[in-house]
Amino acid sequence: QLACPLDLGCHSVEWESAIRLCRFIKDRTLWTCLAAMSVNASELNTAEVAFAAIDEADKLEFVVHVKEIPSVEGRNAELALYRRRPGEAESILLQAGLIYRAIKMHIRLFNWDRALELALNYKTHVDTVLAYRDKFLRRFNRQETNKRFLQVGQGVSIDWDAIKGKIAQEKERERQRPGAKPYA
């Protein structure tokens, strides 16, 4: 029954009222509902307050990380990924032209084949995918067995300094995009 006043407050986008209600009632379930609803609505400031109130440090850290992403599309993609919708996240990034971020997302998900496929299709960051794959395999003392990676890797040299430079350029380009601004 407590969720009804909170639900009404959030549908009319009165996030501050919902926070005040949760603070007044002091119920963990209500805070949890507020956290879920605010993440679903991409209302990150409210989500941050709610996760802090229920001591969900990992989720709070994630929300802070998402707020630091300079582009709206990047933030929306991370939230789609949080909702376990990697296909939607990839679509958001590719439509926005954030190719590196899409490739890096697949690297983070250990979806190596898709990361390489994107790199090859867009003719960018092939060396980045190969370098991260090599780093991953070395960490577990493994050899490359994927024929596609072996084939592509033959003509590519891995230079971490060059890769880090390209990544820095991509991040700066994202910060300079029209409409890119910190989450407020």
Side-chain angles (χ1 to χ4, degrees):
Q1 292 181 3
L2 292 176
C4 290
L6 180 63
D7 193 34
L8 292 172
C10 293
H11 280 303
S12 60
V13 192
E14 294 179 18
W15 295 104
E16 286 301 318
S17 297
I19 291 171
R20 281 195 303 278
L21 177 65
C22 287
R23 286 184 176 144
F24 178 75
I25 295 180
K26 299 177 185 162
D27 179 68
R28 183 176 173 83
T29 305
L30 197 59
W31 276 113
T32 303
C33 288
L34 180 62
M37 293 166 73
S38 59
V39 167
N40 191 49
S42 300
E43 173 50 45
L44 300 178
N45 291 327
T46 303
E48 186 175 6
V49 171
F51 284 132
I54 57 176
D55 296 321
E56 290 288 345
D58 58 333
K59 292 172 183 70
L60 175 61
E61 187 177 330
F62 171 76
V63 169
V64 170
H65 160 72
V66 172
K67 286 174 70 174
E68 292 171 353
I69 296 172
S71 66
V72 173
E73 299 90 351
R75 288 191 293 268
N76 288 339
E78 283 296 314
L79 289 172
L81 203 54
Y82 181 78
R83 294 182 195 109
R84 299 174 194 258
R85 297 181 184 154
E88 180 182 330
E90 180 186 300
S91 293
I92 291 167
L93 295 172
L94 294 179
Q95 287 174 7
L98 297 170
I99 308 307
Y100 168 71
R101 192 173 275 283
I103 291 169
K104 183 64 177 175
M105 177 192 77
H106 284 291
I107 290 171
R108 286 176 25 222
L109 295 173
F110 305 105
N111 190 353
W112 300 107
D113 291 321
R114 183 63 181 154
L116 183 61
E117 181 181 340
L118 288 175
L120 291 170
N121 287 347
Y122 288 94
K123 296 176 178 60
T124 185
H125 288 286
V126 174
D127 57 341
T128 304
V129 175
L130 294 172
Y132 276 106
R133 171 78 173 187
D134 182 61
K135 184 178 180 180
F136 170 77
L137 291 172
R138 286 177 190 252
R139 186 177 203 189
F140 293 102
N141 232 3
R142 307 294 289 297
Q143 295 292 321
E144 184 60 72
T145 58
N146 185 313
K147 290 178 184 174
R148 182 96 164 133
F149 277 87
L150 290 168
Q151 177 188 14
V152 173
Q154 287 177 351
V156 178
S157 63
I158 296 175
D159 177 1
W160 275 104
D161 291 332
I163 291 168
K164 288 177 183 176
K166 284 194 325 186
I167 291 170
Q169 286 176 342
E170 292 283 355
K171 289 181 178 182
E172 184 57 33
R173 196 174 305 140
E174 184 178 357
R175 277 191 286 280
Q176 299 303 321
R177 289 170 50 96
K181 60 183 180 188
Y183 185 84

